[in-house]
Amino acid sequence: GFGLDIVMESGLHPQKVGELVAAARSGVRSGIDLFWSSERTLSDLDRAGLLRDGAWLAPLDLPPDGLMLHGKAARIHDSYLVNVLYNTQKVRADEAPRRYHDLLQPRWQGAIVAPRTPTQMVHLSYVYGEDWATEFAEGLVRQRIAFVPTYPDATNRVASGEYLLGMGQTAEREARRGAPLADAPLDIAIVIPWAMSLMADAEHPAGATLLTYFFTTPEGQQALDQTWAISLAAAPDTSAWRVVQGKQAILIPLDWIEREEPRLRRKFADILGIR
């Protein structure tokens, strides 16, 4: 029954975290109420002391699986950063990969694009083991996989037909706009939960809490799905829910990411030639 002005900033989250940490050391306020990102990114903010404790979420009475970052963040949507999509004008549905290893088939040589990050190989290491992921990464190099700056860049290159397959985003957001894209029917879905945390110096904590609450409700989930084609995987009849139907959904725990990611990122960046 009342208006709420929302200003959203977009950009590369790790870089933004670095800026906020440096600014806080100089006594500069963040100017942000809510930080909306992956649990791993929020963990970096938390270690720097820039997030409120979990007391702000207590009135929302969220279920255990609705809380992230040791209770300091509210799970808002799930992403699939290791998803595989394909161009429906150039690849038939029965030709699309069913397993990640299918990307190493000769037909896909020179036809795969991905964002310039080793994150996907890190996540695959959790699911299949480091040895498998290492062989897979080396196989992608032999496939002459192309790297572009961002996830949307990779999706757009597949939609244009420049590449047949893309690793990264799901297809529905662009497909709704008429892009010839579909998600490959992989046997698993690696779920990356995203959450909202309240900044320690938030100037509008009450409004931030209300917005967070709205996004956790069925109405809020539908609003997110209609606007950006994102939602929780458990939110019925949404794009994220459709991705996991008939698949094994795997969520990578934060403690494993924090323990293994730094080393694995360096390793896979070297293998893939990402600088």
Side-chain angles (χ1 to χ4, degrees):
F2 59 89
L4 187 64
D5 290 332
I6 305 170
V7 177
M8 295 188 64
E9 295 184 14
S10 183
L12 296 173
H13 297 199
Q15 285 85 335
K16 187 62 177 179
V17 168
E19 294 172 8
L20 292 173
V21 172
R25 290 172 180 162
S26 301
V28 178
R29 297 184 64 86
S30 71
I32 297 173
D33 295 312
L34 289 168
F35 203 99
W36 183 359
S37 190
S38 68
E39 191 176 26
R40 177 67 180 88
T41 301
L42 293 174
S43 180
D44 289 339
L45 280 174
D46 188 38
R47 282 198 297 273
L50 300 186
L51 299 181
R52 295 271 183 102
D53 62 31
W56 75 283
L57 288 172
L60 306 191
D61 195 26
L62 297 176
D65 64 354
L67 295 171
M68 309 297 295
L69 197 66
H70 315 297
K72 294 184 178 181
R75 186 173 175 178
I76 299 299
H77 85 276
D78 296 321
S79 62
Y80 307 96
L81 301 181
V82 202
N83 189 59
V84 176
L85 50 76
Y86 64 96
N87 184 300
T88 57
Q89 294 178 338
K90 296 179 178 291
V91 179
R92 297 197 314 266
D94 62 350
E95 295 175 328
R98 262 60 178 173
R99 304 173 304 139
Y100 282 101
H101 203 269
D102 290 346
L103 272 66
L104 302 185
Q105 294 175 351
R107 71 171 70 180
W108 307 125
Q109 189 169 78
I112 307 171
V113 65
R116 190 174 293 116
T117 173
T119 298
Q120 296 165 335
M121 298 303 113
V122 174
H123 293 166
L124 288 170
S125 294
Y126 176 80
V127 177
Y128 294 113
E130 185 175 341
D131 290 344
W132 183 97
T134 300
E135 293 180 4
F136 182 66
E138 292 169 345
L140 289 176
V141 173
R142 291 192 295 272
Q143 289 287 73
R144 301 199 305 272
I145 185 173
F147 293 106
V148 293
T150 68
Y151 285 85
D153 287 337
T155 300
N156 292 337
R157 299 291 186 95
V158 178
S160 71
E162 182 178 354
Y163 295 93
L164 303 183
L165 305 179
M167 295 184 70
Q169 294 181 309
T170 53
E172 185 160 340
R173 183 186 307 177
E174 301 307 322
R176 290 180 186 178
R177 302 170 182 169
L181 296 172
D183 295 318
L186 298 175
D187 54 345
I188 67 169
I190 301 175
V191 181
I192 312 300
W194 281 48
M196 281 184 165
S197 284
L198 186 66
M199 296 294 291
D201 63 355
E203 297 180 25
H204 314 95
T209 304
L210 284 171
L211 180 62
T212 302
Y213 171 70
F214 172 68
F215 282 150
T216 65
T217 65
E219 295 82 5
Q221 287 291 298
Q222 288 296 324
L224 288 173
D225 185 57
Q226 292 167 13
T227 305
W228 291 304
I230 59 175
S231 64
L232 293 169
D237 298 320
T238 62
S239 57
W241 177 83
R242 284 187 282 275
V243 169
V244 299
Q245 298 310 295
K247 300 179 182 179
Q248 179 187 5
I250 300 173
L251 191 150
I252 304 177
L254 177 61
D255 59 351
W256 186 89
I257 290 289
E258 291 183 325
R259 183 176 67 251
E260 301 293 343
E261 184 182 45
R263 176 183 66 84
L264 291 175
R265 285 184 67 87
R266 292 191 296 270
K267 173 180 177 174
F268 289 117
D270 288 341
I271 292 174
L272 297 170
I274 296 174
R275 299 291 181 267

